[in-house]
Amino acid sequence: MVTAEFQRARRPEHKEQRREAILAAARVLATRDGVRTVTLGDIAAEVGVHKSALLRYFETREEIYLQLTAEGWQEWTEALRIALADAEPTPSGGSAVITSTLAARPLFCDLLAHAPLNLERNVSLETVRAFKVATLDRVAAISQLLSDALPGLGPDGGRKAVAAVSSLAATFWQVSHPPETLARFYAEQPDGGHSLTDFPRRLEELTTAVLAGLTAST
Amino acid sequence: MVTAEFQRARRPEHKEQRREAILAAARVLATRDGVRTVTLGDIAAEVGVHKSALLRYFETREEIYLQLTAEGWQEWTEALRIALADAEPTPSGGSAVITSTLAARPLFCDLLAHAPLNLERNVSLETVRAFKVATLDRVAAISQLLSDALPGLGPDGGRKAVAAVSSLAATFWQVSHPPETLARFYAEQPDGGHSLTDFPRRLEELTTAVLAGLTAST
């Protein structure tokens, strides 16, 4: 995939193609190997260029992943918009849709933990501002979708639900994808670690509880 | 604080003193500067020895922090045991106690996010096993305390509540302690970022909702 062309993109549309190629490579590698393990060098190798070429398009490895996180929020919003239209208007109905749309997006779930802890901390103010503006806009859209779909939730409950669900998804996804040492520990447990590593089940149970609690209290 | 003694601890009680000195230094630095920023070299400098001396007592920086995380679970359990005895036996009463005991433990809250994402991934099987055994034991104790304190929660609800609350505390603590760039972004928001960075308020609201949802559904 090495092309001299890649190094010399000058026209805006060519620059955009280069950015897309880099994001596509990062997407493939991080989905396969996990966000944690994929370096800027790995992405450069996948694209077929030297690391320094990437830095003309993105300021850091973290900017690449923040961009994928923003895309994840956008895609999840659209998936929810479609799926919530057919959901049962109850906490368990909403939870089933939230869980299935998140479980179908493993890279986004992986990024949800890395964004606040690592990614947002290694980019410029300009980059983090663009990311947060885009993300908070998606959070507002999802809050609205949820409060429209679930009677009694209300706009405030919708906002709290998005905060809780994205936190739970971030945590449970990491726990359910343990490093090899921890996977061996879980395998030694009476239930084979199932009670800790079954991501969809844990997310759905607690999302139902959160939605039930927020619906009851607002 | 540099002593030749430190380098030559041979008796078990001296070894234990050295371990305690290292943990105390890590505790001070990480509370002041955040877990993320404190390196093994920083801890060594605070203790007054060379980095290599620390590695005779802990296999990695991460083992030091896992040990502090295990201590945090232990201390939080005891604080909850005392505070829940006087709590109002309702979701909001339980939530107030959970929130105040966590807000009083900023280092523990910081560690809660780092443990699954970073710390558990950089230690041996033996170390991660000891950590998980101790922690799961504390989680079971807290589950029991909560199910005893809150009518209708039950043992299963207690376990789910601990999982949810520790996830929410981990996430909201990180969001409420943003890097400088992000703090500037929050300051630009209409409410000064208050809706995102008020850790106790966000934790208490959602803990109340989780407990209400779990109490209603079990």
Side-chain angles (χ1 to χ4, degrees):
Chain A
M1 275 194 277
V2 185
T3 60
E5 281 304 304
F6 192 95
Q7 311 275 354
R8 293 199 307 256
R10 288 209 176 83
R11 290 209 231 150
E13 66 268 32
H14 290 172
K15 276 205 128 175
E16 194 47 41
Q17 284 168 9
R18 304 300 178 274
R19 280 179 60 94
E20 284 304 322
I22 295 165
L23 291 172
R27 211 180 279 120
V28 166
L29 294 178
T31 303
R32 192 186 67 193
D33 302 332
V35 171
R36 151 192 341 281
T37 65
V38 180
T39 65
L40 199 63
D42 295 334
I43 301 169
E46 177 78 10
V47 176
V49 298
H50 190 264
K51 226 161 71 166
S52 60
L54 261 58
L55 297 175
R56 267 179 260 143
Y57 300 92
F58 294 95
E59 61 191 43
T60 53
R61 166 188 180 281
E62 284 75 15
E63 190 191 352
I64 297 175
Y65 284 117
L66 274 187
Q67 182 62 43
L68 296 181
T69 311
E71 280 182 17
W73 278 102
Q74 173 67 33
E75 289 169 13
W76 186 40
T77 309
E78 296 317 314
L80 275 176
R81 193 185 305 280
I82 294 164
L84 280 171
D86 291 326
E88 195 193 319
T90 62
S92 61
S95 176
V97 161
I98 287 169
T99 301
S100 64
T101 51
L102 281 172
R105 291 175 168 71
L107 177 57
F108 180 53
C109 292
D110 192 5
L111 288 163
L112 279 175
H114 287 283
L117 206 59
N118 302 320
L119 306 180
E120 292 177 356
R121 293 171 194 268
N122 285 294
V123 292
S124 64
L125 174 60
E126 196 177 305
T127 295
V128 85
R129 185 189 281 129
F131 170 71
K132 293 303 266 191
V133 167
T135 303
L136 292 177
D137 184 63
R138 291 305 83 200
V139 167
I142 296 171
S143 304
Q144 185 69 51
L145 289 171
L146 292 176
S147 65
D148 288 349
L150 296 172
L153 190 62
D156 192 49
R159 275 190 294 276
K160 290 176 189 167
V162 183
V165 164
S166 56
S167 165
L168 296 170
T171 304
F172 294 160
W173 201 92
Q174 297 298 326
V175 173
S176 69
H177 291 79
E180 200 203 326
T181 42
L182 205 46
R184 284 167 63 192
F185 169 80
Y186 288 138
E188 295 163 5
Q189 300 311 295
D191 72 344
H194 191 68
S195 61
L196 291 167
T197 56
D198 186 344
F199 173 70
R201 191 184 55 77
R202 296 187 85 199
L203 180 61
E204 185 162 355
E205 281 176 351
L206 276 165
T207 299
T208 302
V210 167
L211 295 176
L214 289 172
T215 311
S217 69
T218 51
Chain B
M1 273 192 277
V2 183
T3 61
E5 280 306 302
F6 192 95
Q7 311 274 355
R8 293 199 308 255
R10 291 212 172 81
R11 291 209 231 149
E13 65 269 32
H14 291 172
K15 274 207 129 174
E16 194 47 41
Q17 285 169 8
R18 306 299 178 273
R19 279 179 60 93
E20 284 305 322
I22 294 164
L23 291 172
R27 212 180 277 120
V28 167
L29 294 178
T31 303
R32 192 187 69 194
D33 302 331
V35 171
R36 151 192 342 280
T37 65
V38 180
T39 65
L40 199 62
D42 296 333
I43 301 169
E46 178 78 9
V47 176
V49 298
H50 189 265
K51 227 161 69 167
S52 60
L54 261 58
L55 297 176
R56 266 178 261 146
Y57 300 92
F58 293 96
E59 60 191 42
T60 51
R61 166 189 180 280
E62 285 75 14
E63 189 191 354
I64 298 174
Y65 284 118
L66 274 188
Q67 181 63 42
L68 296 181
T69 311
E71 281 182 17
W73 278 101
Q74 173 68 30
E75 289 168 14
W76 186 40
T77 308
E78 297 317 314
L80 275 177
R81 194 185 304 281
I82 293 164
L84 281 171
D86 292 326
E88 196 194 317
T90 61
S92 61
S95 175
V97 162
I98 287 169
T99 301
S100 64
T101 52
L102 281 172
R105 290 172 170 74
L107 177 57
F108 179 53
C109 292
D110 193 4
L111 287 163
L112 279 175
H114 286 283
L117 206 59
N118 302 320
L119 307 180
E120 292 176 355
R121 292 170 196 267
N122 284 294
V123 292
S124 64
L125 174 60
E126 196 178 306
T127 295
V128 83
R129 185 189 281 132
F131 170 72
K132 292 305 267 190
V133 167
T135 303
L136 292 177
D137 184 62
R138 292 304 85 198
V139 167
I142 296 171
S143 303
Q144 184 69 51
L145 289 171
L146 292 176
S147 65
D148 288 349
L150 296 173
L153 189 61
D156 191 50
R159 276 190 293 276
K160 288 176 191 166
V162 184
V165 164
S166 56
S167 165
L168 296 170
T171 304
F172 294 160
W173 201 92
Q174 297 299 327
V175 173
S176 69
H177 291 78
E180 202 203 323
T181 42
L182 204 45
R184 285 166 65 194
F185 169 79
Y186 288 138
E188 295 164 5
Q189 299 311 296
D191 71 345
H194 191 69
S195 61
L196 290 168
T197 58
D198 185 343
F199 173 70
R201 190 184 55 76
R202 294 188 85 199
L203 180 61
E204 186 162 354
E205 282 175 351
L206 276 165
T207 298
T208 302
V210 166
L211 294 176
L214 290 172
T215 311
S217 68
T218 52

